[in-house]
Amino acid sequence: MEQPNLNYIDQLAEGDIEFREKFIEIIKNEFPQELIVYKNAIKELNTIAAADIVHKLKHKFNILSMKEAYSFSVIYEDELRAHKVDMDKDFQLILGNIIDYLKTI
């Protein structure tokens, strides 16, 4: 499975440690909240709300240098808008991987 990393954030920061740390803190604060919103939307079978949060989450995948997860999310967002949740299990694996990673940084 593709692993998240801070390469993109480091590129953006260009050595500015304060910027880097603030950016990481924002992700660490927002991601768990967005994960809850996603899980609630799926539990309630509100596929449009789930698609909306997947749209937000996919940009964090890009920030965490997860190109495959980003591409997967683009497709999954479209599937959700068509009221299909078949890709949820794989998406949850990606989310779990990121949660585990965020605990280490």
Side-chain angles (χ1 to χ4, degrees):
M1 179 181 285
E2 182 180 34
Q3 294 301 310
N5 63 69
L6 299 176
N7 294 345
Y8 181 72
I9 292 172
D10 289 338
Q11 284 179 323
L12 286 177
E14 296 180 334
D16 184 337
I17 301 300
E18 186 177 331
F19 173 85
R20 180 184 190 270
E21 295 305 316
K22 284 183 181 179
F23 208 102
I24 291 168
E25 191 64 30
I26 289 168
I27 292 172
K28 288 176 82 170
N29 286 331
E30 288 182 358
F31 193 85
Q33 295 170 6
E34 292 169 346
L35 177 62
I36 290 168
V37 171
Y38 170 75
K39 287 184 175 186
N40 286 338
I42 290 297
K43 185 164 65 171
E44 295 168 3
L45 295 177
N46 185 342
T47 57
I48 300 305
D52 290 343
I53 199 67
V54 167
H55 180 80
K56 283 184 171 182
L57 286 165
K58 74 181 177 188
H59 296 294
K60 288 191 174 57
F61 300 162
N62 243 356
I63 291 167
L64 293 170
S65 302
M66 299 179 72
K67 293 177 184 173
E68 292 172 24
Y70 178 87
S71 297
F72 180 89
S73 299
V74 169
I75 295 166
Y76 185 41
E77 181 183 349
D78 290 340
E79 290 288 305
L80 287 167
R81 293 198 189 285
H83 308 291
K84 298 177 185 174
V85 295
D86 300 339
M87 298 170 69
D88 172 63
K89 188 174 183 177
D90 291 329
F91 192 70
Q92 295 252 12
L93 291 174
I94 294 167
L95 298 175
N97 188 22
I98 293 171
I99 286 293
D100 291 344
Y101 178 71
L102 292 178
K103 292 175 186 174
T104 69
I105 58 173

